[in-house]
Amino acid sequence: MKYFLSISILLLSFSGAKLHAQANDTIIEKVREEYSFERLIKNNIMLNPASYAGGRKYSITTFNVFTEKSNTPNQLKQKGKGKNLWGAEVYSLQKLDDQTSVWGNASYTQGKNKQVVWNENSDYELIYPYVAADSVGGNMKFENYSFSGGYSRKINTYTLGITGSYQATLSYRDVDPRPKNTAAHFSLAMGANKLMFQKFKIGAYVNAEKYTQKHYLSFVSNQGYPLIYNMSGMGNYNELLSGKLRQAYYEWWSYGGGLQIFEAESRNWYLNIGLKKFNLDKLLTEYADLNASKIDEQQFSFSAGKFFDSGKTVWGISAEGNSTERKGTENLFLNENSRNYIQIGSVEKYNHKINTIIFKGLIQMGNEKAKSSLIPFFGWIQEKEKYSSPLSRIELSKLMYGADYQWMKTFDHQQILSVTAGLSGTNVYQKDALFNNSGKQSINAMLQENYIFQSSDFWQAKLDINFHFNFPVVKNAFVGGKIMYTNFKNGSNALLAVSIGSIF
């Protein structure tokens, strides 16, 4: 926590030292830019750190303290049934001059993930399907620390940029089974773009990431404990390595890059294309770092948009797409004795493909006193998950659609009200599944319950309200609240979040 406070104070002090350069900035204009739907859509350009220059018109610093409570009985069992958390975050982007921008972020979050079963690790989305699992589970407490910063500078017709981030996570349970997971995530990205014909910019960027997680599982009770499974995908597990291994080390490297082109002055059109690849190894530290399994994943992404500005009205259309394929390979071993395993081969058994594309429209109109924005959207999702032997598979095709509406009103004395409401639906129009039911009954039940969630239609409603005002002690304060309700055929999920802070 002391590191978070130190970084927060540093960022706030830095931004305060630069306030004299922001005499022409007003809090009203900053708040409008912060919540602008147009800016949020165009943030796709920010994948290249060089493109931070020109991404905002105003320097900005925000600080907020927040709390969130969610209940998600309709969810993958491995992700739990909701969260209770609180945290604090500070963010600052400063335009030092017309050529130079710097930015930084620091955050701290603490809470618990409720009723997590069949997963004793943290960061499930990153390391699945190779998790340690049992049928007992329970509430998982966690702490997250996150720091990031970046720098971009224009040099003649070129702009260079660099950004980096670090995130640390601790998750644990203080009743049996008692996992303790410590994870660290580093990332670094560098990029450049060049102004062409005084009209558009062409850019390129590269990035790299490293992630590690140390997992340790223990029991205090001597009255017996559940079997710990070394999961390998879709309910399957390695029988040789299950039941006795309580320590593991996960390590993955990621690298990628992308190309982009966009209109230079107002970014009224853009195109981004990106590639990413990562490799993960699961090592069993109790057995001389025995490599039990590995993941190879490839991602392709693109985004494009075109916008028109007639003065009082901005309108346009954008598209985003992503294609991801994750392959899982298990190593095969000869067990000479209880402490000696010899690798005799490997086999690729797990495959998970997800293809997504979403189209968005934008209509934004109004004046200095009031502004309305509407984003209708429509998308398609195709997911195929397969385990080759014994054969198991899930195939899903979904349509998603909806709209987000925002109303922003400016009152006297720098008071601003922002109201965002959204309504969306997801329909599964094609589904098919085949499960290997020869395993444990409890595992089979987990698979069926997960599949019911994955293949269910649902609709979602959300409301997000933020009010900015001047307070006698803290100037430019704000208070915000968010409610989200998701309805399924057999139940519902709900989320409530509240935040207070300041923006300047």
Side-chain angles (χ1 to χ4, degrees):
M1 183 67 179
K2 63 182 180 179
Y3 301 108
F4 163 72
L5 292 174
S6 300
I7 295 295
S8 302
I9 294 171
L10 178 63
L11 287 171
L12 290 171
S13 301
F14 172 75
S15 61
K18 296 298 177 181
L19 285 177
H20 68 276
Q22 304 174 23
N24 295 327
D25 292 358
T26 69
I27 185 62
I28 293 176
E29 291 168 328
K30 290 182 179 182
V31 172
R32 285 176 182 162
E33 186 176 59
E34 175 69 9
Y35 292 115
S36 170
F37 274 6
E38 179 185 7
R39 183 190 69 82
L40 293 176
I41 291 178
K42 293 179 180 179
N43 260 0
N44 286 317
I45 301 174
M46 302 294 207
L47 291 171
N48 185 345
S51 300
Y52 270 78
R56 282 182 181 263
K57 185 177 180 181
Y58 302 100
S59 297
I60 189 171
T61 297
T62 65
F63 175 78
N64 73 96
V65 179
F66 54 88
T67 183
E68 180 181 305
K69 182 177 181 179
S70 64
N71 292 307
T72 57
N74 296 278
Q75 178 63 282
L76 294 179
K77 300 299 180 183
Q78 290 84 350
K79 295 185 178 181
K81 293 187 176 182
K83 291 182 180 181
N84 293 338
L85 62 87
W86 69 271
E89 181 179 24
V90 59
Y91 171 79
S92 184
L93 183 145
Q94 300 297 315
K95 299 168 69 68
L96 303 185
D97 51 46
D98 292 339
Q99 287 75 40
T100 310
S101 297
V102 295
W103 59 93
N105 175 279
S107 67
Y108 171 80
T109 307
Q110 182 184 85
K112 69 176 180 180
N113 198 352
K114 296 179 290 186
Q115 299 180 47
V116 180
V117 292
W118 297 107
N119 173 29
E120 296 295 355
N121 293 93
S122 61
D123 299 323
Y124 177 77
E125 289 286 357
L126 296 179
I127 68 172
Y128 83 95
Y130 299 118
V131 297
D134 62 82
S135 60
V136 176
N139 295 339
M140 188 87 80
K141 298 179 181 179
F142 63 85
E143 291 186 56
N144 296 327
Y145 301 83
S146 178
F147 309 96
S148 66
Y151 173 89
S152 69
R153 180 172 177 80
K154 295 180 181 178
I155 304 174
N156 298 322
T157 59
Y158 290 90
T159 304
L160 307 178
I162 185 171
T163 185
S165 68
Y166 169 74
Q167 180 176 330
T169 301
L170 169 66
S171 65
Y172 60 95
R173 187 186 299 120
D174 48 18
V175 296
D176 288 353
R178 301 175 185 243
K180 181 180 179 182
N181 304 303
T182 55
H185 191 175
F186 302 87
S187 70
L188 179 68
M190 297 180 289
N193 60 48
K194 176 177 174 56
L195 180 63
M196 305 292 291
F197 308 111
Q198 300 299 316
K199 293 183 177 181
F200 60 90
K201 291 185 177 182
I202 295 178
Y205 64 92
V206 294
N207 53 51
E209 300 174 71
K210 183 182 180 181
Y211 172 87
T212 59
Q213 180 181 156
K214 296 179 181 179
H215 165 75
Y216 176 73
L217 187 64
S218 63
F219 295 88
V220 172
S221 173
N222 57 7
Q223 301 300 316
Y225 46 83
L227 177 66
I228 304 302
Y229 298 94
N230 190 52
M231 305 302 290
S232 54
M234 303 195 71
N236 296 285
Y237 59 94
N238 189 311
E239 293 192 29
L240 179 63
L241 300 178
S242 294
K244 44 196 170 184
L245 300 179
R246 301 186 185 178
Q247 298 181 37
Y249 181 76
Y250 297 83
E251 181 179 41
W252 66 257
W253 286 90
S254 165
Y255 53 90
L259 301 173
Q260 62 179 190
I261 180 171
F262 58 94
E263 191 266 328
E265 184 175 354
S266 301
R267 307 191 174 195
N268 283 332
W269 58 265
Y270 65 87
L271 173 64
N272 293 320
I273 298 175
L275 293 171
K276 186 176 181 180
K277 182 178 176 61
F278 85 78
N279 307 100
L280 178 143
D281 290 299
K282 178 179 180 179
L283 307 175
L284 303 179
T285 53
E286 294 175 86
Y287 293 84
D289 289 343
L290 188 72
N291 194 325
S293 54
K294 65 178 181 179
I295 292 172
D296 293 305
E297 181 173 293
Q298 298 184 63
Q299 299 178 8
F300 169 78
S301 61
F302 81 92
S303 61
K306 173 63 178 176
F307 303 90
F308 304 89
D309 190 344
S310 62
K312 293 185 178 180
T313 303
V314 175
W315 63 278
I317 188 171
S318 67
E320 301 174 31
N322 185 278
S323 179
T324 301
E325 182 175 13
R326 172 171 291 206
K327 299 177 181 180
T329 299
E330 303 170 32
N331 291 328
L332 307 176
F333 303 97
L334 176 64
N335 182 209
E336 290 190 338
N337 56 61
S338 62
R339 303 297 299 178
N340 187 19
Y341 291 81
I342 299 175
Q343 182 176 338
I344 58 175
S346 63
V347 58
E348 181 183 307
K349 288 190 174 184
Y350 181 79
N351 188 281
H352 192 189
K353 297 179 182 178
I354 303 176
N355 295 312
T356 305
I357 186 168
I358 182 168
F359 299 94
K360 296 180 180 179
L362 171 66
I363 303 174
Q364 186 171 280
M365 60 184 66
N367 51 40
E368 294 182 355
K369 291 296 184 180
K371 180 181 290 186
S372 297
S373 302
L374 177 68
I375 295 183
F377 57 86
F378 174 83
W380 171 78
I381 303 171
Q382 184 184 68
E383 182 175 358
K384 295 181 179 181
E385 188 176 15
K386 180 180 178 181
Y387 193 87
S388 60
S389 179
L391 180 62
S392 300
R393 71 172 186 273
I394 295 175
E395 297 184 7
L396 302 168
S397 295
K398 306 177 183 181
L399 292 177
M400 56 181 296
Y401 48 86
D404 292 329
Y405 173 77
Q406 181 188 74
W407 180 70
M408 194 180 303
K409 175 68 175 178
T410 302
F411 303 93
D412 296 333
H413 309 296
Q414 293 186 337
Q415 295 178 342
I416 306 171
L417 175 65
S418 172
V419 179
T420 301
L423 185 64
S424 63
T426 298
N427 295 117
V428 180
Y429 66 88
Q430 185 176 354
K431 58 184 178 181
D432 184 35
L434 173 66
F435 296 111
N436 167 39
N437 292 318
S438 62
K440 304 287 185 178
Q441 183 176 354
S442 58
I443 294 179
N444 296 336
M446 175 269 292
L447 288 174
Q448 294 295 336
E449 291 178 27
N450 279 352
Y451 178 66
I452 290 174
F453 161 72
Q454 292 172 295
S455 60
S456 295
D457 298 343
F458 64 88
W459 61 268
Q460 185 178 87
K462 61 183 179 181
L463 179 65
D464 194 347
I465 300 175
N466 292 278
F467 182 61
H468 294 255
F469 57 95
N470 282 326
F471 200 68
V473 178
V474 180
K475 300 296 182 181
N476 307 324
F478 71 85
V479 59
K482 181 178 181 179
I483 299 174
M484 183 181 296
Y485 175 82
T486 307
N487 181 267
F488 296 82
K489 181 179 180 180
N490 298 320
S492 61
N493 295 346
L495 178 146
L496 174 64
V498 178
S499 63
I500 58 173
S502 179
I503 181 171
F504 51 90

